[in-house]
Amino acid sequence: MTTTAETMRKLTYREAVREAIREAMQKDERVFLMGEDVGRYGGCFAVSKGLFDEFGPERIRDTPLSESGFVGAGIGAALGGMRPIVEIMTVNFSLLAADQIINNAAVLLHMSGGLFNVPIVIRLATGGGRQVAAQHSRSLEGWYAHIPGLKVLTPATVEDARGMLWTALEDPDPVLIFENSGLYNMEGTLPVEAGAVDIDRARMRRPGRDITIISYAASLFKALEAAEILAREGIEAEVIDLRTLRPLDDTTLLDSVARTHRALIVDEGWRSGSLAAEISARIMEGAFYELDAPVERLCSAEVPLPYAKHLEDAALPQVDKIVDLVRTMVGGHG
Amino acid sequence: MADFPMPSLGADMQEGTLVEWLVKPGDRVKRRDVVAVVETDKAAIEIEVYEDGVIERLVVEPGQKVPVGTVLAVIRTDGEPAAAPKEEAAAAGEMAAPAPARSEAAAAAAPPEHEPAVSVPSVPEPAGRIKASPYARRLAAERGLALERLQGTGPGGAIRAADVEGGVAPQVPPAAPDQPPPAVAEQAPAPPTAESPPARDFQAGMRRAIAAAMARSNREIPHYYLQLRIDMSRTLRRLEAENLQRPIRERILPVVPLIKAVALALNEVPELNGYWLEDRLQPREAINIGFAIALRQGGLITPALLNADLQNLDELMAALRDLITRARSGGLRSSEMTEATVTVTSLGDLGVETVYGVIYPPQVALVGFGRTQEQPWAENGMLAVRPVLTATLAADHRATDGHRGAQFLDALNRYLQEPEKL
Amino acid sequence: MKTRKNATTRAEPVEREHGLHLLRSMIRIRRLEDKCAELYTTTKIRGFLHLYDGEEAVAVGVLEALTLDDAIVATYREHGHALIRGVSAGCILAEMYGRQEGCSRGRGGSMHLFDDRTRFYGGNAIVGAGLPIAVGLALADKMQEKSRVSCCFFGDGAVAEGEFHESLNLAALWRLPVLFVCENNLYAMGTALRYTQSVTDIAAKAASYGMPAAAVDGMDVLAVEAAAHLAAEAIRAGEGPQFLECRTYRFRAHSMYDAELYRNRAEVEEWKKRCPIATFTERLRDAGQVSDDDLAQIEAEVAREISAAVAFAEAGSQEPLEDLTRFVYSERRMP
C-alpha cells in the first residue's frame, strides 16, 4: 500500500476485502469468519492472510470440507445471535451447500411467519478466465439471484469490495457476496476513511448517450474498456455496474435505457435462463417504447468452460466482442 | 346422525372408488375402526371412522367412484334414536346434494389427464410488414410521420429513431395546381396497407394514377370557376372561444367548420354533390366529402368524410384526425377511398391564396380554400381589418351552370357568418 | 427387536405425579393428531400431514430433560414436539388450517411449526437439513459462553445424508453442546433401514465420530427420559455432543395415508402391542399409581383442550392477500 496523497491510498481488491473483514471483527465481537483454509493457510485466495494470527482460531475458524455442514452451522450460529461470515472457497463448491443456502437460509424467515431471520453473510469466489477448467470456473451468482429471501452482491470495484461487507453484516437477512477471483489483484485508489457503502443501487460507471452496457464484476471492466474504444469512433456507451443482482435496481437500468434507447448486457453466466435474460425481460417490460434496437446479451458460450486458453477466451465475453456488438447495434446495418 | 364422507387421503386426491364395505347397516363402530376400502390413484387404502355409533345406512355402493366429501354412509351416533326411513332418505338426499357441484368444481380445476396436443400454426410473416423499433414508432407517431415513407437504416432495413429524426426529410407535395387523386373507376393506387409494395413503386403507381385521372378530367370536364372572399371573423371567434375551453388535443382545426359549411351548402345545391356518369348528372344523397391529404413523400389521396352534413364539429374533427392518421399510416377502408361525392382541398397552410382545382372525375365539383389572412374589409360603410379567406368552386359545366355554383358559394358564406348553425 | 440397552435405559420407579404428567403428555399428542387426521379427511387440513402415532415417548421423554432455554430443531413430524415444548394446540391447528393465528402465520403448515419463545427452530422438511443448524446454534452458544443445549431430532433416513455425517463431525470436532436424537422408526418413508444402510446400528455410527452414543427403547418414555437427562447433563458439563438413538415405530403411514405396501400387518400389530401410551398406562396401573378415574380425567381434559383448539383454528382468519410477499426479507433492521 502506498500513499499517493494524504487522504487517498492504493490497495488491491484482496486487501480491501481483508480490511473489511478485519474492521467488522474489530467493531462487532459477534462477527467471525469460517471456511475451508481461511485460518492457518491464510485463505485459498490469501484474502484472510494474517487474520488467524490477529484473531485466533475461534474467530478465524478453519472448517473441514463440509460445505453443507459449515454453511448450515453458519445459519444456526446466525440464528443463535452471532454474525458469521462464511467463506465458501468458490461458488462451484456452494453446490454442496445449496441445500442449506436455498432450503434453509432463504426460507426460514418466511416459513416461520417472520419469527426467525438469518443474518448470515456468505462470501464466495466466482468466475472463469483462469484456466482452471469446467469445475472451477462457474459463474452461478445469477442462479442464486433467482431465489427470494437471498440478497446477492457482486462487488466489482475496490471501493465496493471494501464497503459492501459491513452493510451486508448489518442486514438482517442472508447475503451472498460473490468476489470474482480475477479481481483480487486489481488495484484501486480509495479515500483513507472509505467504509460502508449501500448494497441496493446499481451505479453508472461511465455516462454515454448511444447505448447502455449493463454488467457487473469482472465483465464491468471489459465493458469499460470497450466503451473507451467505442468513444474513439464517436459511440458513447453508458456503462452500468449492477453491484447487486438481487434485488435488482430496475430504476437505474430503465432510466439509462430511456436515455440511450439501446441496451447490451454483458454477463459471464450462460445466456439460457440467465440473469441477463431477466434484465432483458425487465427492460422489455419497463422500457419497451424506449427501445430503438433489440436488447442484446453477451454471455458465456453454452459450454462448460474449457481448460485451453484460446478456447476459454472464446467462451467468455471479451472486449472485442462487446465492441463489435455495440457497433452493430448503434451503427448502420451495412 | 353423522355423515361419513369420502375422506381426503392425500394432497392430490380428488376422488376415490369405494371398493368394499367392511361393515353393514346395524353394525356398531367406534372411532378409528376401519369400515371400508377405498381405491385411490396410489393404492387401495383402508379407511376409518371418527365417530362412535351404529351404521344407519350405506349410501355409496362398492364400485362407485365419488369425489372427496361425498357421503359414503350415515352413522347414528351414540344416544340418537334410529331415524324413520323416509326422513332418512330425505336427509341423505340433502346431504348428498352438494356433492355434484363440488365434483364439477373439482373437475374444472383438475388438469386434463393428457396433455393436449398443441399444434403451432405457422404464421407467414406479412410480406410488406414494416420493421421499426418501438422507440422509432413512438417518435414517428408523435410527429405524425408515416413509417411507410421512412427509409430504415437498421438491421434488415428496420426503421430506427435516427431515421425518424432526420434521415428522410418529408417531401413537400407539388405546390399547385392541387389535384385530387384517382379513385373509383380508375385503377387507383391502393392505400398503403400491409400488402403494399415498397414505397418507391407505390409512389410511382400513385403518380401514374393521378396523371390518368387529371388528364381525363382536363380532357373531358368543361370546368368553370367561381371565387368568393369570405369574412371568417365570426367563425374563427366562435372557434377560438370554443377551443379555449378544451385541452389542446381536443381542439378543433379551422378547416373543420369549412368542411361542415360545404356539406350544409351542398344540401341546398345538391347538383354539385354527385357524379357525371353515362352522360348525365347523378346526384348523390349522401354528402361524402373527399378531403385531399398530401402525403409527405409526394402525391395525395382524398379519403372521404362520410355523411359530413350529419356530423357535428367534434365528430368531424375526430373523423378528420382519424382519417389523416390512417391515411399516413396506411389504414384506410376501401369505402373511404371510393365514396367521395365531392372534393375539398385546402392549401391555406402553405400560404396559397386561391385554389383553382381540377375536378376529380366522375365528381362534378371541387371546393378550394386558400389561406385566411387579415385584409381590409369594408362593411356598412366602415373599413375594418378582418380575417379573409378565398373560397373557390371548380364545377363541371355539363352538370351545373354558374348560377347554381354562385348559389352554392353564397350558401357557404352564409353558414360561415352563422357559425352557430354549423 | 434387538435393543442395545445401557445402564440408563433401566427406568427407575416413577413418582405418581410425574408419571401422570408423562402419560398426559403422550395422550395430548395422540389425541391432537387423531383430530388432525380427522380434519385432514374432511379437507380442513391439506398438504402433507405426517403423524407421530406410536413415537410419542421419544418427544415426551427427551423434552422432559431440556429447559426452555435450550433450542430445538425438529423434523416435519413435529406436532408432538411443538405441543410438548409449549406451543398451544390452538396455534398448531390454526397453522395447519393456514390461518394467520397459526404459530407460523399459516406460512409453514404442518411441517413447519416455529416458536421463538420456546426456541423451537422449526419443523424442517428436508431430511438431514436440520442437523447443521443445530450445530450452528450450539456453536453460537459456545462462542457466547452460554450453557445451553441445542437438541436436534431427525429420523433414521437422515443417517444416510451427508449432512448427518458432516454435522456429527463438526459437533464432535468443536465439542459443541448438541444433543442429537435419532428417532429410528425403521423406515425412511417406505424403505426399511436394512435396505439403505450397510451398518444398521446407528448409535455405532455416531460413536465413530468420538461422541458418546446410546440406543434406548423409544417406546419406553421413562427410558428415553432417563437417557436424555444423562446426555443433557453431560452436555451442560461441557463434555461436547451426545447422541441418542431412540428405537421406535410409527403406527400410521408415512404421510397421512399410504397403502403400506412396504411392511406387513403382523409387524405393525406386533409393534402396536408396545404402544408407549398403553404400556405406560399398564405400568402405572400395575404400580397402583393411576386409576380409571385418573385416566378418564386426563382424557376429558385433553378432549377439552383439543376441542378448544379446533374452535380456535376454525375461528382463525386468513392473512390478507396484500401481505403475500411479506417475510421474504425482514421488515426491521437488526441491532
Side-chain angles (χ1 to χ4, degrees):
Chain A
M1 238 176 291
T2 51
T3 308
T4 53
E6 261 183 43
T7 55
M8 300 295 284
R9 65 206 176 109
K10 272 190 174 171
L11 73 171
T12 63
Y13 188 101
R14 172 186 293 108
E15 289 163 343
V17 177
R18 184 187 304 145
E19 268 196 21
I21 297 171
R22 178 185 289 119
E23 183 197 42
M25 305 240 331
Q26 287 166 346
K27 271 163 83 169
D28 188 340
E29 62 179 14
R30 298 173 302 176
V31 175
F32 68 102
L33 176 69
M34 169 163 67
E36 292 157 359
D37 283 321
V38 298
R40 292 157 186 90
Y41 186 97
C44 173
F45 296 95
V47 167
S48 52
K49 197 172 164 193
L51 296 180
F52 183 84
D53 293 337
E54 192 174 344
F55 295 101
E58 283 289 306
R59 296 186 69 197
I60 303 294
R61 185 173 284 264
D62 281 321
T63 66
L65 308 192
S66 304
E67 284 81 4
S68 199
F70 70 75
V71 170
I75 294 167
L79 287 168
M82 301 297 284
R83 289 291 179 279
I85 303 169
V86 177
E87 176 177 310
I88 300 177
M89 196 178 281
T90 79
V91 67
N92 309 282
F93 317 145
S94 78
L95 299 182
L96 293 160
D99 176 45
Q100 289 297 328
I101 298 171
I102 296 170
N103 278 329
N104 279 343
V107 297
L108 284 173
L109 178 73
H110 186 259
M111 290 200 310
S112 66
L115 291 180
F116 293 116
N117 61 309
V118 184
I120 189 177
V121 171
I122 301 174
R123 294 176 41 245
L124 318 85
T126 186
R130 300 187 307 130
Q131 278 196 271
V132 289
Q135 291 181 327
H136 283 74
S137 303
R138 297 181 204 282
S139 298
L140 298 179
E141 50 273 17
W143 255 26
Y144 286 101
H146 180 64
I147 309 295
L150 300 179
K151 292 184 182 173
V152 176
L153 315 186
T154 53
T157 62
V158 171
E159 180 194 20
D160 281 347
R162 177 69 181 82
M164 280 185 157
L165 180 73
W166 181 253
T167 316
L169 282 167
E170 285 194 308
D171 197 284
D173 300 311
V175 180
L176 274 56
I177 305 181
F178 286 88
E179 297 161 8
N180 193 294
S181 55
L183 296 176
Y184 281 127
N185 289 328
M186 183 183 68
E187 249 192 5
T189 306
L190 276 188
V192 170
E193 69 279 9
V197 296
D198 74 278
I199 56 169
D200 50 12
R201 298 305 302 266
R203 198 92 82 227
M204 187 207 295
R205 298 295 186 193
R206 177 196 174 98
R209 59 162 197 275
D210 297 321
I211 185 169
T212 300
I213 305 179
I214 298 161
S215 192
Y216 66 92
S219 301
L220 171 70
F221 299 99
K222 295 177 181 173
L224 286 167
E225 197 181 328
E228 280 299 315
I229 295 168
L230 290 161
R232 282 177 235 136
E233 302 171 12
I235 296 173
E236 291 296 337
E238 184 151 307
V239 179
I240 304 282
D241 175 6
L242 286 172
R243 300 179 71 243
T244 298
L245 306 192
R246 184 182 190 95
L248 271 175
D249 174 12
D250 291 350
T251 311
T252 300
L253 301 182
L254 298 179
D255 283 356
S256 176
V257 173
R259 284 193 300 276
T260 65
H261 308 290
R262 295 178 182 86
L264 166 66
I265 304 143
V266 183
D267 178 6
E268 263 190 52
W270 293 295
R271 65 190 280 141
S272 300
S274 63
L275 181 87
E278 171 64 25
I279 292 170
S280 171
R282 290 192 189 203
I283 292 170
M284 187 278 290
E285 290 162 351
F288 182 77
Y289 296 104
E290 299 294 350
L291 287 176
D292 200 25
V295 175
E296 297 276 355
R297 289 178 285 160
L298 184 56
C299 300
S300 283
E302 307 250 339
V303 59
L305 284 194
Y307 161 73
K309 179 162 172 42
H310 70 294
L311 293 177
E312 185 181 40
D313 285 349
L316 290 167
Q318 303 293 0
V319 173
D320 57 341
K321 291 186 201 167
I322 300 173
V323 170
D324 286 349
L325 198 45
V326 170
R327 279 188 193 130
T328 313
M329 293 173 69
V330 176
H333 57 105
Chain B
M1 214 58 64
D3 290 334
F4 174 58
M6 172 63 78
S8 163
L9 304 173
D12 46 4
M13 177 174 167
Q14 305 281 356
E15 56 187 7
T17 304
L18 181 80
V19 175
E20 184 187 1
W21 280 114
L22 302 176
V23 292
K24 57 186 187 304
D27 280 1
R28 167 157 290 278
V29 292
K30 62 180 196 304
R31 211 178 145 74
R32 293 191 69 161
D33 276 355
V34 171
V35 295
V37 178
V38 164
E39 179 90 34
T40 69
D41 297 338
K42 283 185 178 171
I45 287 169
E46 293 179 338
I47 59 174
E48 60 192 305
V49 290
Y50 292 93
E51 304 285 346
D52 295 339
V54 174
I55 300 292
E56 185 74 22
R57 60 190 291 263
L58 303 177
V59 179
V60 169
E61 298 286 320
Q64 272 185 271
K65 186 183 246 189
V66 295
V68 167
T70 305
V71 174
L72 299 178
V74 180
I75 298 169
R76 173 155 39 86
T77 49
D78 289 352
E80 268 185 303
K86 257 184 193 171
E87 286 171 34
E88 181 190 311
E94 270 168 41
M95 297 299 183
R102 189 169 190 161
S103 153
E104 278 163 33
E113 277 182 27
H114 301 286
E115 192 177 330
V118 178
S119 71
V120 181
S122 60
V123 182
E125 193 177 331
R129 209 188 87 78
I130 293 165
K131 286 184 190 161
S133 77
Y135 181 50
R137 283 180 186 276
R138 203 190 80 196
L139 279 182
E142 281 170 6
R143 295 168 192 210
L145 296 175
L147 290 172
E148 291 78 4
R149 311 295 147 234
L150 296 171
Q151 193 72 45
T153 60
I159 297 166
R160 302 185 298 181
D163 303 326
V164 181
E165 282 169 334
V168 180
Q171 293 176 14
V172 178
D178 192 22
Q179 304 302 356
V184 205
E186 305 293 331
Q187 59 284 56
T193 67
E195 269 75 40
S196 65
R200 197 164 303 162
D201 293 349
F202 174 80
Q203 265 179 267
M206 170 176 281
R207 204 65 253 164
R208 278 197 302 274
I210 293 174
M214 294 303 101
R216 175 185 158 197
S217 178
N218 215 30
R219 188 169 64 243
E220 294 181 0
I221 301 177
H223 287 69
Y224 68 90
Y225 303 96
L226 302 175
Q227 165 175 341
L228 182 67
R229 290 171 73 229
I230 296 175
D231 172 10
M232 288 294 288
S233 55
R234 291 181 184 82
T235 293
L236 291 182
R237 248 199 327 271
R238 186 174 176 85
L239 199 60
E240 265 170 41
E242 182 62 34
N243 279 342
L244 266 181
Q245 301 165 18
R246 295 164 179 250
I248 289 173
R249 293 179 61 90
E250 290 172 22
R251 289 187 184 165
I252 294 169
L253 294 173
V255 75
V256 171
L258 294 177
I259 292 171
K260 182 69 187 291
V262 167
L264 294 175
L266 285 171
N267 264 336
E268 298 183 17
V269 189
E271 300 98 308
L272 292 174
N273 185 58
Y275 305 127
W276 183 265
L277 289 171
E278 298 164 358
D279 279 334
R280 63 186 178 89
L281 173 66
Q282 300 183 7
R284 285 287 182 271
E285 197 161 327
I287 296 175
N288 301 333
I289 295 186
F291 187 75
I293 297 172
L295 299 177
R296 289 183 199 268
Q297 83 296 341
L300 56 76
I301 50 178
T302 58
L305 289 159
L306 305 177
N307 301 307
D309 56 324
L310 303 178
Q311 304 191 48
N312 65 30
L313 296 186
D314 276 326
E315 290 164 345
L316 270 179
M317 184 66 229
L320 184 65
R321 185 181 285 125
D322 175 51
L323 213 52
I324 291 171
T325 305
R326 287 190 290 113
R328 288 177 173 162
S329 68
L332 291 173
R333 290 181 282 273
S334 60
S335 61
E336 291 165 337
M337 291 304 294
T338 57
E339 291 185 5
T341 53
V342 68
T343 296
V344 169
T345 184
S346 171
L347 291 174
D349 288 350
L350 297 170
V352 168
E353 291 184 4
T354 311
V355 175
Y356 301 100
V358 179
I359 299 167
Y360 179 27
Q363 292 170 21
V364 294
L366 179 145
V367 183
F369 294 110
R371 171 163 65 123
T372 300
Q373 55 188 333
E374 292 197 328
Q375 287 183 4
W377 185 268
E379 194 175 273
N380 300 329
M382 303 273 286
L383 189 63
V385 173
R386 296 275 169 84
V388 176
L389 164 80
T390 302
T392 51
L393 171 72
D396 185 339
H397 221 320
R398 295 172 299 180
T400 58
D401 302 322
H403 181 71
R404 288 300 273 164
Q407 285 174 328
F408 166 80
L409 285 181
D410 180 54
L412 177 68
N413 182 37
R414 199 169 65 248
Y415 282 110
L416 291 171
Q417 303 316 315
E418 299 173 326
E420 63 280 359
K421 291 187 178 170
L422 294 174
Chain C
M1 190 191 89
K2 189 184 103 205
T3 304
R4 187 166 57 96
K5 303 217 165 152
N6 64 21
T8 68
T9 64
R10 195 66 275 165
E12 301 298 312
V14 63
E15 282 181 17
R16 174 182 145 83
E17 279 313 309
H18 188 57
L20 286 178
H21 165 69
L22 295 176
L23 183 62
R24 182 185 297 109
S25 295
M26 290 193 289
I27 290 174
R28 286 176 70 210
I29 299 175
R30 179 72 57 90
R31 297 292 171 257
L32 172 65
E33 292 206 315
D34 280 351
K35 181 53 77 175
C36 293
E38 178 185 347
L39 293 168
Y40 194 91
T41 64
T42 60
T43 72
K44 292 280 189 185
I45 298 172
R46 307 257 55 199
F48 293 137
L49 185 69
H50 307 90
L51 301 178
Y52 201 50
D53 203 347
E55 305 184 41
E56 294 91 344
V58 178
V60 171
V62 170
L63 293 177
E64 200 59 36
L66 300 177
T67 72
L68 277 182
D69 215 22
D70 298 326
I72 314 294
V73 179
T75 72
Y76 49 85
R77 200 182 300 284
E78 88 291 30
H79 311 143
H81 309 70
L83 182 72
I84 298 309
R85 189 64 181 160
V87 183
S88 77
C91 286
I92 293 172
L93 272 186
E95 184 60 32
M96 297 187 201
Y97 269 60
R99 306 296 192 206
Q100 58 181 341
E101 290 78 6
C103 57
S104 309
R105 300 180 65 93
R107 302 254 171 176
S110 155
M111 301 188 288
H112 304 299
L113 306 176
F114 285 84
D115 185 44
D116 54 349
R117 289 168 305 112
T118 61
R119 301 195 71 215
F120 193 79
Y121 290 95
N124 199 308
I126 302 292
V127 172
L131 282 89
I133 292 183
V135 169
L137 286 164
L139 175 62
D141 283 345
K142 185 168 190 194
M143 294 182 79
Q144 295 169 108
E145 295 174 351
K146 291 178 178 168
S147 177
R148 307 193 289 198
V149 175
S150 292
C151 174
C152 185
F153 292 91
F154 51 92
D156 48 290
V159 174
E161 295 282 359
E163 286 174 328
F164 170 87
H165 299 275
E166 294 185 16
S167 299
L168 264 61
N169 181 51
L170 277 179
L173 181 71
W174 292 340
R175 292 181 66 79
L176 301 177
V178 187
L179 173 56
F180 293 101
V181 179
C182 179
E183 305 177 300
N184 177 6
N185 65 19
L186 297 177
Y187 291 89
M189 204 161 125
T191 302
L193 193 61
R194 63 182 179 279
Y195 298 129
T196 60
Q197 292 288 325
S198 61
V199 173
T200 55
D201 187 340
I202 294 172
K205 286 176 192 282
S208 78
Y209 287 101
M211 73 176 73
V216 297
D217 179 358
M219 308 304 269
D220 179 348
V221 68
L222 293 177
V224 174
E225 185 192 12
H229 263 300
L230 223 58
E233 277 163 29
I235 293 168
R236 288 186 215 286
E239 291 176 22
Q242 303 274 321
F243 192 96
L244 209 55
E245 177 194 350
C246 300
R247 296 181 175 173
T248 182
Y249 200 81
R250 65 173 152 74
F251 296 159
R252 286 182 179 267
H254 165 72
S255 171
M256 201 39 213
Y257 285 85
D258 62 40
E260 304 204 34
L261 304 171
Y262 51 88
R263 61 187 188 184
N264 65 47
R265 179 144 308 179
E267 179 185 299
V268 180
E269 292 308 317
E270 200 54 40
W271 275 95
K272 278 189 174 173
K273 289 179 190 161
R274 301 178 53 197
C275 168
I277 296 174
T279 54
F280 190 56
T281 304
E282 284 315 301
R283 187 161 160 183
L284 292 177
R285 209 197 291 273
D286 289 350
Q289 289 174 315
V290 66
S291 65
D292 286 350
D293 283 352
D294 292 332
L295 289 174
Q297 192 186 335
I298 289 174
E299 288 287 359
E301 282 167 13
V302 171
R304 276 198 297 278
E305 179 186 7
I306 305 299
S307 69
V310 173
F312 180 80
E314 288 282 348
S317 57
Q318 291 187 322
E319 191 169 7
L321 282 182
E322 305 90 86
D323 288 354
L324 172 65
T325 55
R326 287 183 67 190
F327 313 119
V328 178
Y329 297 101
S330 297
E331 292 167 9
R332 59 194 159 83
R333 307 293 299 178
M334 296 283 291

